[in-house]
Amino acid sequence: DIVMTQSPDSLAVSLGARATITCKSSQSVLKSSDKKNYLAWYQQKPGQPPKLLFYWASTRESGVPARFSGSGSGTDFTLTISRLQAEDVAVYYCHQYYSTPWAFGQGTKVEIK
Amino acid sequence: QITLKESGPTLVKPTQTLTLTCTFSGFSLSTPGVGVAWIRQPPGKALEWLTLIYWDDDKRYRPSLESRITIVKDTSKNHVVLVMTNMDPVDTATYYCAHVPPGRGENFFDSWGQGTLVTVSS
């Protein structure tokens, strides 16, 4: 099974500052046949279901603000919020869909400093 | 617009069987490539994928739970049903159903239901 590990578990960032979350998979999620990274990112606000932010590691879902970006390949991935807004307070999860059982990271809680 | 909604009991006793229904709109489970998944989240913990059913009735199960879970679809009613046997207090969680978009390998979840909290307690 592929294990997804996020870091940090939580971080506090000032409004307008950059927030960076990393996600590491225990094996590569880059498929050689199509050169795609089978990695998604979700945002979950308190009391709400998760919301898809990115798929294929860096393809932004419709409606996601441009201050969010996804990057990385193979086993190492990053979610960046370039200028943190109050509405970005949430828990963020990475998710590999390269092979079953599909797995999520443990989550990273983003708060305002 | 895709919507999904989970329904079922909020409280089950240990050893009982849980049956949850996902009722959806805005897509058809007869469309090639489409799927519906179940994911759960224990209180304060991370997400855990459980099972998925595709338009062609192909199914995937989490290996550690495969002996306890069954997923079925009723395309005409726009329903997907999750059955989990021998419930235990550790199965206490919010259970979500989610839409899997059509496309080869696109097994991510682009729309989610609001979730339903199931508590397992005697």
Side-chain angles (χ1 to χ4, degrees):
Chain A
D1 296 3
I2 298 177
V3 177
M4 308 300 290
T5 305
Q6 293 179 227
S7 62
D9 289 335
S10 65
L11 74 161
V13 177
S14 300
L15 287 172
R18 177 184 297 258
T20 302
I21 301 167
T22 64
C23 173
K24 194 174 190 66
S25 56
S26 60
Q27 62 189 74
S28 177
V29 298
L30 173 63
K31 192 162 286 190
S32 57
S33 59
D34 58 14
K35 303 291 191 293
K36 289 182 175 180
N37 286 284
Y38 285 57
L39 190 285
W41 287 98
Y42 302 85
Q43 175 195 63
Q44 186 177 31
K45 296 182 179 181
Q48 296 185 19
K51 172 189 171 184
L52 177 67
L53 296 178
F54 293 92
Y55 51 97
W56 304 129
S58 60
T59 300
R60 189 181 291 108
E61 174 73 333
S62 176
V64 174
R67 65 180 179 274
F68 290 88
S69 62
S71 63
S73 185
T75 61
D76 296 283
F77 300 90
T78 301
L79 175 69
T80 302
I81 310 172
S82 60
R83 290 175 298 279
L84 191 75
Q85 305 295 306
E87 61 263 33
D88 302 334
V89 168
V91 179
Y92 293 85
Y93 293 94
C94 59
H95 159 221
Q96 70 82 12
Y97 51 99
Y98 180 89
S99 64
T100 56
W102 296 307
F104 295 87
Q106 81 276 18
T108 295
K109 186 175 185 178
V110 174
E111 300 174 305
I112 305 296
K113 185 187 292 181
Chain B
Q1 180 192 0
I2 290 174
T3 65
L4 306 100
K5 186 173 183 179
E6 306 84 355
S7 59
T10 58
L11 179 65
V12 297
K13 290 179 168 38
T15 75
Q16 286 188 336
T17 294
L18 171 69
T19 300
L20 293 176
T21 299
C22 175
T23 303
F24 57 85
S25 64
F27 68 96
S28 172
L29 249 184
S30 59
T31 300
V34 169
V36 171
W38 285 95
I39 301 113
R40 70 179 179 180
Q41 185 173 37
K45 296 189 177 180
L47 301 159
E48 180 181 59
W49 169 75
L50 300 178
T51 181
L52 185 152
I53 190 165
Y54 292 101
W55 67 284
D56 59 355
D57 212 38
D58 188 17
K59 301 166 187 177
R60 298 285 185 272
Y61 292 104
R62 186 174 197 82
S64 60
L65 294 172
E66 189 163 6
S67 63
R68 296 176 52 209
I69 56 177
T70 303
I71 188 169
V72 294
K73 64 180 177 67
D74 185 333
T75 304
S76 64
K77 293 183 179 178
N78 282 356
H79 284 176
V80 171
V81 175
L82 170 71
V83 178
M84 182 177 290
T85 63
N86 195 25
M87 293 292 284
D88 183 272
V90 300
D91 297 313
T92 294
T94 296
Y95 287 75
Y96 296 99
C97 59
H99 173 260
V100 176
R104 188 176 180 85
E106 292 189 12
N107 294 306
F108 50 85
F109 314 118
D110 63 353
S111 294
W112 296 62
Q114 284 298 307
T116 185
L117 175 61
V118 177
T119 301
V120 184
S121 174
S122 55

